[in-house]
Amino acid sequence: MDSSSTRRQNTRRKLFEAAVTLIAEQGFSSTTVDEIAERAGVAKGTVYYNFASKTMLFEELLRHGIELLTDSLQAAADETADRGGSRVDALDAMIRAGLDFITRYPSLTQLYVAELWRTNRAWQSTLMQVRQKAIAVIESVLREAVTTGELSEDIDVPLTASALFGMVLVAALDWQSFQPERSIDEVHSALSRLLQGRVSGGSRP
């Protein structure tokens, strides 16, 4: 990778980080391009050089963030499979990966959850698409678990995948907002027990 490409990637990363923090703090409408540029330590023109508008920046921000989460979930599943773990083990590893991601990017997660239920945003379609990519990773592991007999054929795969995805998001945000004294290991342990009791509990005899 040449130096100009590296600089461009670094600049876009700074803009992403600045934008997500500001928008999480004060909302999309109240956040200006000037503020994003100042927080990122770049000239205002640099924002428009990389993104045609603030709306496009925000849309790409959401896409980039959820794609990072999707990659983390897939990597956790793949690493578990490489070690010879079960599909339920993979789901548990994905829960941990999700918690790790949210710990690294709390503002992005808050922003994603806040925007997910809005219907009047230009980026709503993009948000739905990237959300589905993340959930599809979980669905794939669940379907493999059904095929191998780890889970019952009666399990509703799409709904269960959405429930697991939502469980991690909401539990992590609640943890960080209201129970910050807890360690990530404690939170993971609690969610792991839920997984084992609710999902694994439906496995075939």
Side-chain angles (χ1 to χ4, degrees):
M1 183 179 297
D2 59 39
S3 59
S4 62
S5 177
T6 300
R7 284 196 301 272
R8 181 175 172 81
Q9 285 192 1
N10 288 337
T11 297
R12 289 173 72 91
R13 177 182 53 77
K14 289 178 182 178
L15 290 172
F16 281 137
E17 292 173 353
V20 72
T21 302
L22 285 167
I23 294 169
E25 290 174 354
Q26 58 195 36
F28 175 78
S29 298
S30 299
T31 300
T32 67
V33 172
D34 284 345
E35 289 174 318
I36 294 172
E38 182 179 359
R39 180 69 66 94
V42 302
K44 180 179 179 179
T46 301
V47 180
Y48 290 117
Y49 176 76
N50 285 273
F51 304 98
S53 65
K54 185 176 73 170
T55 295
M56 182 173 289
L57 166 60
F58 189 63
E59 182 172 345
E60 287 302 312
L61 167 72
L62 289 170
R63 183 197 300 275
H64 176 70
I66 304 306
E67 285 178 349
L68 284 177
L69 173 57
T70 301
D71 290 344
S72 296
L73 297 177
Q74 187 65 65
D78 292 344
E79 288 168 7
T80 303
D82 290 344
R83 293 195 305 268
S86 69
R87 274 68 177 185
V88 173
D89 290 336
L91 292 170
D92 187 58
M94 292 163 84
I95 287 176
R96 180 58 183 241
L99 292 174
D100 286 337
F101 178 87
I102 294 166
T103 300
R104 290 199 305 274
Y105 304 104
S107 295
L108 176 63
T109 307
Q110 292 168 9
L111 195 55
Y112 168 77
V113 172
E115 291 296 324
L116 187 60
W117 309 114
R118 297 181 186 272
T119 58
N120 61 340
R121 300 297 206 191
W123 49 79
Q124 186 66 19
S125 176
T126 295
L127 194 56
M128 292 299 100
Q129 290 173 13
V130 294
R131 171 189 174 274
Q132 188 52 45
K133 286 182 179 179
I135 291 177
V137 175
I138 305 173
E139 287 184 2
S140 176
V141 175
L142 286 170
R143 288 196 174 92
E144 290 175 2
V146 170
T147 299
T148 59
E150 288 182 56
L151 298 180
S152 169
E153 293 178 348
D154 295 333
I155 192 172
D156 186 323
V157 170
L159 186 58
T160 301
S162 295
L164 289 173
F165 185 72
M167 176 184 73
V168 173
L169 286 177
V170 174
L173 291 178
D174 184 89
W175 159 44
Q176 295 189 340
S177 298
F178 304 112
Q179 304 181 65
E181 71 282 358
R182 292 186 179 275
S183 69
I184 190 171
D185 290 334
E186 286 182 281
V187 179
H188 178 216
S189 179
L191 297 186
S192 181
R193 283 193 291 271
L194 281 175
L195 171 70
Q196 297 294 336
R198 300 307 179 190
V199 177
S200 298
S203 59
R204 297 173 189 170

